[in-house]
Amino acid sequence: MKEESENQMLIPIYPEERVNYLIRMFLTQNDYIRIEDICDMIFVSRSTLSNDLKEVREKLNYFHLELETKPAYGLKITFTVKTTLPKKKKQSTDS
């Protein structure tokens, strides 16, 4: 009986728990996850999930991560590497 309870994932109830749960879920998935599937997993309405996803996006943004939405596929975490090229030094025309 103890093994069963250790293997089961607890379903988050409070908003902060759901936000953390969603972040962990997105970080551990490589594929898109459909909104309907997420609602079914954590037993919330689409409206509640939408509110939670706003908070998820804010937290991810702090780490330069984004929650990409792709119609008919779902959501997944993405990141972009921003690079800045070094400025060229002006060549002096002293001859």
Side-chain angles (χ1 to χ4, degrees), residues 29-83:
Q29 296 292 319
N30 293 327
D31 296 327
Y32 288 92
I33 306 169
R34 293 181 24 193
I35 289 176
E36 295 80 12
D37 294 338
I38 298 169
C39 289
D40 291 344
M41 275 189 261
I42 60 176
F43 303 104
V44 296
S45 68
R46 193 175 177 99
S47 175
T48 299
L49 181 61
S50 178
N51 290 331
D52 291 343
L53 289 175
K54 287 177 189 175
E55 182 70 25
V56 168
R57 283 184 170 94
E58 287 179 20
K59 287 189 173 197
L60 292 176
N61 190 41
Y62 180 79
F63 296 100
H64 305 286
L65 299 171
E66 294 179 2
L67 197 56
E68 179 184 349
T69 303
K70 189 171 182 181
Y73 286 87
L75 304 162
K76 80 174 188 176
I77 288 182
T78 59
F79 68 95
T80 54
V81 178
K82 295 181 181 180
T83 58

Short mmCIF file of all heavy atoms in Angstrom, two decimals, residues 29-83:
data_model
loop_
_atom_site.label_atom_id
_atom_site.label_comp_id
_atom_site.label_asym_id
_atom_site.label_seq_id
_atom_site.Cartn_x
_atom_site.Cartn_y
_atom_site.Cartn_z
N GLN A 29 8.60 17.58 -20.01
CA GLN A 29 8.01 17.11 -21.27
C GLN A 29 8.73 17.74 -22.46
O GLN A 29 9.00 18.93 -22.45
CB GLN A 29 6.52 17.48 -21.35
CG GLN A 29 5.67 16.84 -20.30
CD GLN A 29 5.56 15.34 -20.51
OE1 GLN A 29 5.42 14.86 -21.62
NE2 GLN A 29 5.62 14.60 -19.43
N ASN A 30 9.01 16.95 -23.46
CA ASN A 30 9.61 17.47 -24.68
C ASN A 30 8.56 17.84 -25.72
O ASN A 30 8.81 18.64 -26.60
CB ASN A 30 10.57 16.44 -25.30
CG ASN A 30 11.78 16.22 -24.42
OD1 ASN A 30 12.24 17.14 -23.75
ND2 ASN A 30 12.30 15.02 -24.42
N ASP A 31 7.40 17.21 -25.61
CA ASP A 31 6.35 17.42 -26.59
C ASP A 31 5.35 18.46 -26.09
O ASP A 31 5.33 18.83 -24.92
CB ASP A 31 5.60 16.11 -26.86
CG ASP A 31 6.50 15.06 -27.50
OD1 ASP A 31 7.40 15.45 -28.27
OD2 ASP A 31 6.31 13.86 -27.22
N TYR A 32 4.50 18.88 -27.01
CA TYR A 32 3.43 19.80 -26.66
C TYR A 32 2.39 19.07 -25.79
O TYR A 32 2.19 17.87 -25.94
CB TYR A 32 2.73 20.31 -27.92
CG TYR A 32 3.57 21.29 -28.70
CD1 TYR A 32 4.41 20.87 -29.71
CD2 TYR A 32 3.50 22.65 -28.42
CE1 TYR A 32 5.17 21.77 -30.43
CE2 TYR A 32 4.27 23.56 -29.13
CZ TYR A 32 5.09 23.11 -30.14
OH TYR A 32 5.85 24.01 -30.84
N ILE A 33 1.76 19.82 -24.91
CA ILE A 33 0.71 19.28 -24.06
C ILE A 33 -0.55 20.10 -24.31
O ILE A 33 -0.52 21.34 -24.21
CB ILE A 33 1.08 19.35 -22.57
CG1 ILE A 33 2.44 18.69 -22.32
CG2 ILE A 33 0.00 18.71 -21.71
CD1 ILE A 33 3.00 18.95 -20.95
N ARG A 34 -1.62 19.43 -24.66
CA ARG A 34 -2.86 20.13 -24.97
C ARG A 34 -3.52 20.69 -23.72
O ARG A 34 -3.49 20.07 -22.65
CB ARG A 34 -3.83 19.18 -25.68
CG ARG A 34 -3.35 18.76 -27.05
CD ARG A 34 -4.31 17.85 -27.73
NE ARG A 34 -5.65 18.05 -27.18
CZ ARG A 34 -6.67 17.25 -27.39
NH1 ARG A 34 -6.54 16.20 -28.13
NH2 ARG A 34 -7.85 17.48 -26.86
N ILE A 35 -4.12 21.84 -23.87
CA ILE A 35 -4.80 22.51 -22.74
C ILE A 35 -5.88 21.61 -22.17
O ILE A 35 -6.02 21.50 -20.94
CB ILE A 35 -5.36 23.87 -23.19
CG1 ILE A 35 -4.20 24.84 -23.43
CG2 ILE A 35 -6.33 24.43 -22.16
CD1 ILE A 35 -4.59 26.19 -23.96
N GLU A 36 -6.64 20.97 -23.02
CA GLU A 36 -7.71 20.09 -22.55
C GLU A 36 -7.16 18.95 -21.70
O GLU A 36 -7.76 18.57 -20.69
CB GLU A 36 -8.49 19.50 -23.74
CG GLU A 36 -9.25 20.52 -24.56
CD GLU A 36 -8.37 21.28 -25.56
OE1 GLU A 36 -7.21 20.88 -25.81
OE2 GLU A 36 -8.85 22.29 -26.08
N ASP A 37 -6.01 18.42 -22.11
CA ASP A 37 -5.38 17.34 -21.34
C ASP A 37 -4.92 17.82 -19.97
O ASP A 37 -5.04 17.11 -18.97
CB ASP A 37 -4.21 16.74 -22.12
CG ASP A 37 -4.65 16.03 -23.38
OD1 ASP A 37 -5.84 15.64 -23.47
OD2 ASP A 37 -3.82 15.87 -24.30
N ILE A 38 -4.38 19.04 -19.93
CA ILE A 38 -3.93 19.59 -18.64
C ILE A 38 -5.13 19.78 -17.71
O ILE A 38 -5.07 19.43 -16.53
CB ILE A 38 -3.18 20.92 -18.85
CG1 ILE A 38 -1.93 20.71 -19.70
CG2 ILE A 38 -2.81 21.53 -17.50
CD1 ILE A 38 -1.28 21.99 -20.17
N CYS A 39 -6.22 20.34 -18.25
CA CYS A 39 -7.43 20.54 -17.45
C CYS A 39 -7.91 19.22 -16.86
O CYS A 39 -8.28 19.15 -15.68
CB CYS A 39 -8.54 21.16 -18.30
SG CYS A 39 -8.26 22.89 -18.73
N ASP A 40 -7.89 18.17 -17.67
CA ASP A 40 -8.31 16.85 -17.20
C ASP A 40 -7.36 16.29 -16.14
O ASP A 40 -7.79 15.64 -15.19
CB ASP A 40 -8.41 15.87 -18.36
CG ASP A 40 -9.57 16.19 -19.31
OD1 ASP A 40 -10.47 16.97 -18.91
OD2 ASP A 40 -9.56 15.67 -20.44
N MET A 41 -6.07 16.55 -16.30
CA MET A 41 -5.07 16.02 -15.36
C MET A 41 -5.22 16.61 -13.97
O MET A 41 -5.07 15.91 -12.97
CB MET A 41 -3.65 16.34 -15.85
CG MET A 41 -3.08 15.36 -16.81
SD MET A 41 -1.33 15.74 -17.09
CE MET A 41 -1.45 16.64 -18.62
N ILE A 42 -5.47 17.92 -13.92
CA ILE A 42 -5.49 18.59 -12.61
C ILE A 42 -6.90 19.01 -12.18
O ILE A 42 -7.06 19.71 -11.18
CB ILE A 42 -4.51 19.78 -12.55
CG1 ILE A 42 -4.84 20.84 -13.60
CG2 ILE A 42 -3.08 19.29 -12.70
CD1 ILE A 42 -3.97 22.07 -13.52
N PHE A 43 -7.88 18.56 -12.94
CA PHE A 43 -9.29 18.76 -12.58
C PHE A 43 -9.66 20.24 -12.38
O PHE A 43 -10.23 20.61 -11.36
CB PHE A 43 -9.66 17.95 -11.34
CG PHE A 43 -9.40 16.49 -11.50
CD1 PHE A 43 -8.30 15.89 -10.89
CD2 PHE A 43 -10.24 15.70 -12.28
CE1 PHE A 43 -8.06 14.53 -11.04
CE2 PHE A 43 -10.00 14.35 -12.43
CZ PHE A 43 -8.91 13.76 -11.82
N VAL A 44 -9.30 21.07 -13.36
CA VAL A 44 -9.67 22.48 -13.31
C VAL A 44 -10.34 22.88 -14.62
O VAL A 44 -10.20 22.19 -15.63
CB VAL A 44 -8.46 23.41 -13.04
CG1 VAL A 44 -7.85 23.16 -11.68
CG2 VAL A 44 -7.42 23.29 -14.14
N SER A 45 -11.04 23.99 -14.59
CA SER A 45 -11.67 24.50 -15.79
C SER A 45 -10.63 25.19 -16.68
O SER A 45 -9.53 25.51 -16.22
CB SER A 45 -12.77 25.50 -15.43
OG SER A 45 -12.19 26.67 -14.88
N ARG A 46 -11.02 25.42 -17.89
CA ARG A 46 -10.13 26.13 -18.83
C ARG A 46 -9.83 27.54 -18.32
O ARG A 46 -8.72 28.05 -18.46
CB ARG A 46 -10.79 26.16 -20.20
CG ARG A 46 -9.89 26.56 -21.31
CD ARG A 46 -10.64 26.44 -22.65
NE ARG A 46 -9.81 26.88 -23.73
CZ ARG A 46 -9.12 26.08 -24.53
NH1 ARG A 46 -9.20 24.78 -24.37
NH2 ARG A 46 -8.37 26.56 -25.49
N SER A 47 -10.80 28.18 -17.72
CA SER A 47 -10.63 29.52 -17.16
C SER A 47 -9.61 29.53 -16.02
O SER A 47 -8.73 30.40 -15.97
CB SER A 47 -11.98 30.04 -16.67
OG SER A 47 -11.83 31.26 -16.03
N THR A 48 -9.72 28.56 -15.13
CA THR A 48 -8.76 28.45 -14.02
C THR A 48 -7.36 28.19 -14.55
O THR A 48 -6.39 28.80 -14.10
CB THR A 48 -9.18 27.33 -13.05
OG1 THR A 48 -10.46 27.66 -12.50
CG2 THR A 48 -8.19 27.15 -11.92
N LEU A 49 -7.26 27.30 -15.52
CA LEU A 49 -5.95 27.01 -16.11
C LEU A 49 -5.37 28.24 -16.77
O LEU A 49 -4.18 28.51 -16.66
CB LEU A 49 -6.05 25.85 -17.12
CG LEU A 49 -4.73 25.46 -17.77
CD1 LEU A 49 -3.72 24.98 -16.73
CD2 LEU A 49 -4.97 24.40 -18.82
N SER A 50 -6.20 29.00 -17.45
CA SER A 50 -5.74 30.23 -18.11
C SER A 50 -5.12 31.18 -17.09
O SER A 50 -4.06 31.77 -17.33
CB SER A 50 -6.90 30.88 -18.83
OG SER A 50 -6.49 32.09 -19.43
N ASN A 51 -5.76 31.33 -15.95
CA ASN A 51 -5.21 32.18 -14.88
C ASN A 51 -3.90 31.64 -14.35
O ASN A 51 -2.96 32.40 -14.12
CB ASN A 51 -6.22 32.33 -13.74
CG ASN A 51 -7.42 33.15 -14.13
OD1 ASN A 51 -7.34 34.04 -14.97
ND2 ASN A 51 -8.55 32.86 -13.53
N ASP A 52 -3.82 30.34 -14.18
CA ASP A 52 -2.58 29.72 -13.69
C ASP A 52 -1.45 29.88 -14.71
O ASP A 52 -0.30 30.10 -14.35
CB ASP A 52 -2.80 28.23 -13.39
CG ASP A 52 -3.70 28.00 -12.19
OD1 ASP A 52 -3.90 28.95 -11.39
OD2 ASP A 52 -4.22 26.88 -12.06
N LEU A 53 -1.79 29.77 -15.99
CA LEU A 53 -0.77 29.88 -17.03
C LEU A 53 -0.18 31.29 -17.11
O LEU A 53 0.98 31.45 -17.48
CB LEU A 53 -1.33 29.46 -18.39
CG LEU A 53 -1.61 27.97 -18.54
CD1 LEU A 53 -2.29 27.69 -19.87
CD2 LEU A 53 -0.35 27.14 -18.38
N LYS A 54 -0.95 32.29 -16.74
CA LYS A 54 -0.42 33.66 -16.68
C LYS A 54 0.72 33.72 -15.67
O LYS A 54 1.78 34.29 -15.94
CB LYS A 54 -1.51 34.65 -16.29
CG LYS A 54 -2.50 34.92 -17.39
CD LYS A 54 -3.59 35.87 -16.91
CE LYS A 54 -4.71 35.95 -17.94
NZ LYS A 54 -5.83 36.76 -17.44
N GLU A 55 0.51 33.11 -14.52
CA GLU A 55 1.54 33.08 -13.48
C GLU A 55 2.73 32.23 -13.93
O GLU A 55 3.89 32.58 -13.68
CB GLU A 55 0.95 32.54 -12.18
CG GLU A 55 1.90 32.51 -11.02
CD GLU A 55 2.27 33.89 -10.50
OE1 GLU A 55 1.47 34.82 -10.70
OE2 GLU A 55 3.36 34.01 -9.91
N VAL A 56 2.45 31.12 -14.59
CA VAL A 56 3.53 30.25 -15.11
C VAL A 56 4.40 31.06 -16.07
O VAL A 56 5.63 31.03 -15.98
CB VAL A 56 2.95 29.01 -15.82
CG1 VAL A 56 4.03 28.28 -16.61
CG2 VAL A 56 2.30 28.07 -14.81
N ARG A 57 3.77 31.80 -16.97
CA ARG A 57 4.53 32.60 -17.94
C ARG A 57 5.41 33.65 -17.25
O ARG A 57 6.55 33.87 -17.65
CB ARG A 57 3.57 33.28 -18.91
CG ARG A 57 3.04 32.36 -19.96
CD ARG A 57 2.16 33.10 -20.98
NE ARG A 57 1.84 32.24 -22.10
CZ ARG A 57 0.74 31.50 -22.19
NH1 ARG A 57 -0.16 31.53 -21.22
NH2 ARG A 57 0.53 30.74 -23.25
N GLU A 58 4.88 34.28 -16.21
CA GLU A 58 5.66 35.27 -15.47
C GLU A 58 6.89 34.64 -14.83
O GLU A 58 7.99 35.19 -14.89
CB GLU A 58 4.80 35.94 -14.41
CG GLU A 58 3.79 36.92 -14.96
CD GLU A 58 2.93 37.54 -13.88
OE1 GLU A 58 3.33 37.53 -12.69
OE2 GLU A 58 1.85 38.05 -14.22
N LYS A 59 6.69 33.49 -14.21
CA LYS A 59 7.81 32.82 -13.56
C LYS A 59 8.84 32.34 -14.58
O LYS A 59 10.05 32.44 -14.35
CB LYS A 59 7.32 31.64 -12.71
CG LYS A 59 6.62 32.10 -11.45
CD LYS A 59 6.35 30.94 -10.52
CE LYS A 59 5.80 31.46 -9.21
NZ LYS A 59 5.90 30.48 -8.15
N LEU A 60 8.38 31.81 -15.70
CA LEU A 60 9.31 31.34 -16.73
C LEU A 60 10.08 32.50 -17.34
O LEU A 60 11.27 32.37 -17.66
CB LEU A 60 8.56 30.58 -17.82
CG LEU A 60 7.94 29.25 -17.42
CD1 LEU A 60 7.14 28.67 -18.58
CD2 LEU A 60 9.00 28.27 -16.95
N ASN A 61 9.41 33.62 -17.50
CA ASN A 61 10.05 34.79 -18.09
C ASN A 61 11.27 35.24 -17.28
O ASN A 61 12.26 35.69 -17.84
CB ASN A 61 9.03 35.93 -18.20
CG ASN A 61 9.56 37.08 -19.01
OD1 ASN A 61 10.21 36.89 -20.03
ND2 ASN A 61 9.28 38.29 -18.57
N TYR A 62 11.20 35.08 -15.98
CA TYR A 62 12.33 35.42 -15.11
C TYR A 62 13.59 34.65 -15.51
O TYR A 62 14.70 35.14 -15.40
CB TYR A 62 11.96 35.14 -13.66
CG TYR A 62 13.07 35.46 -12.68
CD1 TYR A 62 13.31 36.77 -12.29
CD2 TYR A 62 13.87 34.46 -12.16
CE1 TYR A 62 14.32 37.08 -11.40
CE2 TYR A 62 14.89 34.75 -11.27
CZ TYR A 62 15.11 36.06 -10.90
OH TYR A 62 16.13 36.35 -10.03
N PHE A 63 13.41 33.43 -16.02
CA PHE A 63 14.54 32.58 -16.42
C PHE A 63 14.74 32.59 -17.93
O PHE A 63 15.39 31.70 -18.48
CB PHE A 63 14.31 31.14 -15.93
CG PHE A 63 14.28 31.05 -14.44
CD1 PHE A 63 13.08 30.97 -13.76
CD2 PHE A 63 15.46 31.06 -13.71
CE1 PHE A 63 13.05 30.90 -12.38
CE2 PHE A 63 15.45 30.99 -12.33
CZ PHE A 63 14.23 30.91 -11.66
N HIS A 64 14.15 33.57 -18.61
CA HIS A 64 14.25 33.72 -20.07
C HIS A 64 13.70 32.51 -20.81
O HIS A 64 14.22 32.09 -21.84
CB HIS A 64 15.70 33.99 -20.49
CG HIS A 64 16.29 35.18 -19.80
ND1 HIS A 64 15.94 36.47 -20.10
CD2 HIS A 64 17.18 35.27 -18.77
CE1 HIS A 64 16.60 37.30 -19.32
NE2 HIS A 64 17.36 36.60 -18.50
N LEU A 65 12.65 31.94 -20.25
CA LEU A 65 11.95 30.84 -20.89
C LEU A 65 10.56 31.33 -21.30
O LEU A 65 10.03 32.26 -20.70
CB LEU A 65 11.81 29.65 -19.94
CG LEU A 65 13.11 29.03 -19.45
CD1 LEU A 65 12.83 28.03 -18.34
CD2 LEU A 65 13.83 28.35 -20.59
N GLU A 66 10.01 30.70 -22.31
CA GLU A 66 8.69 31.08 -22.78
C GLU A 66 7.81 29.85 -22.87
O GLU A 66 8.28 28.74 -23.08
CB GLU A 66 8.77 31.72 -24.16
CG GLU A 66 9.50 33.05 -24.18
CD GLU A 66 9.58 33.64 -25.57
OE1 GLU A 66 9.02 33.04 -26.52
OE2 GLU A 66 10.20 34.69 -25.71
N LEU A 67 6.53 30.08 -22.74
CA LEU A 67 5.55 29.03 -22.92
C LEU A 67 4.97 29.22 -24.32
O LEU A 67 4.21 30.15 -24.56
CB LEU A 67 4.47 29.13 -21.85
CG LEU A 67 3.59 27.92 -21.64
CD1 LEU A 67 4.43 26.68 -21.34
CD2 LEU A 67 2.61 28.16 -20.52
N GLU A 68 5.40 28.38 -25.22
CA GLU A 68 4.97 28.48 -26.61
C GLU A 68 3.61 27.82 -26.79
O GLU A 68 3.38 26.72 -26.32
CB GLU A 68 5.99 27.80 -27.53
CG GLU A 68 5.61 27.84 -28.99
CD GLU A 68 6.59 27.08 -29.87
OE1 GLU A 68 7.66 26.69 -29.38
OE2 GLU A 68 6.26 26.86 -31.03
N THR A 69 2.72 28.51 -27.48
CA THR A 69 1.40 27.98 -27.78
C THR A 69 1.33 27.70 -29.27
O THR A 69 1.60 28.58 -30.08
CB THR A 69 0.30 29.00 -27.41
OG1 THR A 69 0.43 29.32 -26.03
CG2 THR A 69 -1.08 28.43 -27.66
N LYS A 70 0.99 26.47 -29.61
CA LYS A 70 0.87 26.10 -31.01
C LYS A 70 -0.54 25.52 -31.21
O LYS A 70 -0.87 24.48 -30.64
CB LYS A 70 1.93 25.06 -31.38
CG LYS A 70 2.03 24.77 -32.85
CD LYS A 70 3.25 23.90 -33.13
CE LYS A 70 3.38 23.64 -34.61
NZ LYS A 70 4.54 22.78 -34.88
N PRO A 71 -1.36 26.22 -32.01
CA PRO A 71 -2.73 25.75 -32.21
C PRO A 71 -2.78 24.29 -32.67
O PRO A 71 -1.97 23.86 -33.49
CB PRO A 71 -3.27 26.69 -33.29
CG PRO A 71 -2.44 27.93 -33.14
CD PRO A 71 -1.08 27.45 -32.73
N ALA A 72 -3.72 23.56 -32.13
CA ALA A 72 -3.96 22.14 -32.41
C ALA A 72 -2.88 21.21 -31.83
O ALA A 72 -2.98 20.01 -31.95
CB ALA A 72 -4.11 21.89 -33.91
N TYR A 73 -1.83 21.78 -31.22
CA TYR A 73 -0.79 20.96 -30.61
C TYR A 73 -0.76 21.13 -29.10
O TYR A 73 -0.69 20.18 -28.36
CB TYR A 73 0.59 21.31 -31.18
CG TYR A 73 0.81 20.78 -32.58
CD1 TYR A 73 0.41 21.52 -33.69
CD2 TYR A 73 1.40 19.54 -32.78
CE1 TYR A 73 0.60 21.04 -34.97
CE2 TYR A 73 1.59 19.05 -34.06
CZ TYR A 73 1.18 19.80 -35.16
OH TYR A 73 1.37 19.32 -36.42
N GLY A 74 -0.76 22.38 -28.64
CA GLY A 74 -0.75 22.63 -27.21
C GLY A 74 0.33 23.60 -26.80
O GLY A 74 0.67 24.53 -27.53
N LEU A 75 0.89 23.34 -25.63
CA LEU A 75 1.88 24.22 -25.01
C LEU A 75 3.16 23.47 -24.71
O LEU A 75 3.14 22.28 -24.39
CB LEU A 75 1.34 24.78 -23.69
CG LEU A 75 0.01 25.52 -23.73
CD1 LEU A 75 -0.57 25.62 -22.33
CD2 LEU A 75 0.21 26.89 -24.31
N LYS A 76 4.27 24.20 -24.76
CA LYS A 76 5.54 23.64 -24.29
C LYS A 76 6.50 24.79 -24.01
O LYS A 76 6.32 25.89 -24.52
CB LYS A 76 6.14 22.64 -25.27
CG LYS A 76 6.87 23.21 -26.45
CD LYS A 76 7.53 22.08 -27.23
CE LYS A 76 8.44 22.61 -28.31
NZ LYS A 76 9.14 21.54 -29.00
N ILE A 77 7.49 24.50 -23.21
CA ILE A 77 8.49 25.51 -22.84
C ILE A 77 9.53 25.60 -23.94
O ILE A 77 10.02 24.58 -24.45
CB ILE A 77 9.15 25.16 -21.49
CG1 ILE A 77 8.18 25.39 -20.36
CG2 ILE A 77 10.40 26.00 -21.28
CD1 ILE A 77 8.73 25.12 -18.99
N THR A 78 9.87 26.83 -24.29
CA THR A 78 10.95 27.07 -25.25
C THR A 78 11.86 28.16 -24.70
O THR A 78 11.49 28.88 -23.78
CB THR A 78 10.40 27.52 -26.63
OG1 THR A 78 9.65 28.72 -26.44
CG2 THR A 78 9.53 26.46 -27.26
N PHE A 79 13.01 28.26 -25.28
CA PHE A 79 13.91 29.33 -24.91
C PHE A 79 14.65 29.80 -26.14
O PHE A 79 14.78 29.06 -27.12
CB PHE A 79 14.90 28.90 -23.82
CG PHE A 79 15.90 27.89 -24.28
CD1 PHE A 79 17.15 28.28 -24.72
CD2 PHE A 79 15.59 26.53 -24.26
CE1 PHE A 79 18.07 27.35 -25.15
CE2 PHE A 79 16.51 25.59 -24.69
CZ PHE A 79 17.75 26.00 -25.14
N THR A 80 15.08 31.01 -26.09
CA THR A 80 15.89 31.54 -27.19
C THR A 80 17.19 32.05 -26.60
O THR A 80 17.21 32.65 -25.52
CB THR A 80 15.17 32.69 -27.92
OG1 THR A 80 14.80 33.68 -26.96
CG2 THR A 80 13.94 32.20 -28.65
N VAL A 81 18.24 31.76 -27.30
CA VAL A 81 19.54 32.23 -26.87
C VAL A 81 19.77 33.58 -27.54
O VAL A 81 19.77 33.68 -28.76
CB VAL A 81 20.65 31.23 -27.27
CG1 VAL A 81 22.01 31.76 -26.86
CG2 VAL A 81 20.39 29.88 -26.66
N LYS A 82 19.91 34.58 -26.72
CA LYS A 82 20.15 35.92 -27.25
C LYS A 82 21.64 36.19 -27.18
O LYS A 82 22.24 36.14 -26.12
CB LYS A 82 19.37 36.95 -26.46
CG LYS A 82 17.88 36.79 -26.60
CD LYS A 82 17.14 37.84 -25.82
CE LYS A 82 15.65 37.62 -25.98
NZ LYS A 82 14.87 38.61 -25.24
N THR A 83 22.19 36.47 -28.32
CA THR A 83 23.61 36.79 -28.36
C THR A 83 23.78 38.19 -28.90
O THR A 83 23.04 38.64 -29.77
CB THR A 83 24.40 35.81 -29.25
OG1 THR A 83 23.85 35.86 -30.57
CG2 THR A 83 24.32 34.39 -28.72
#
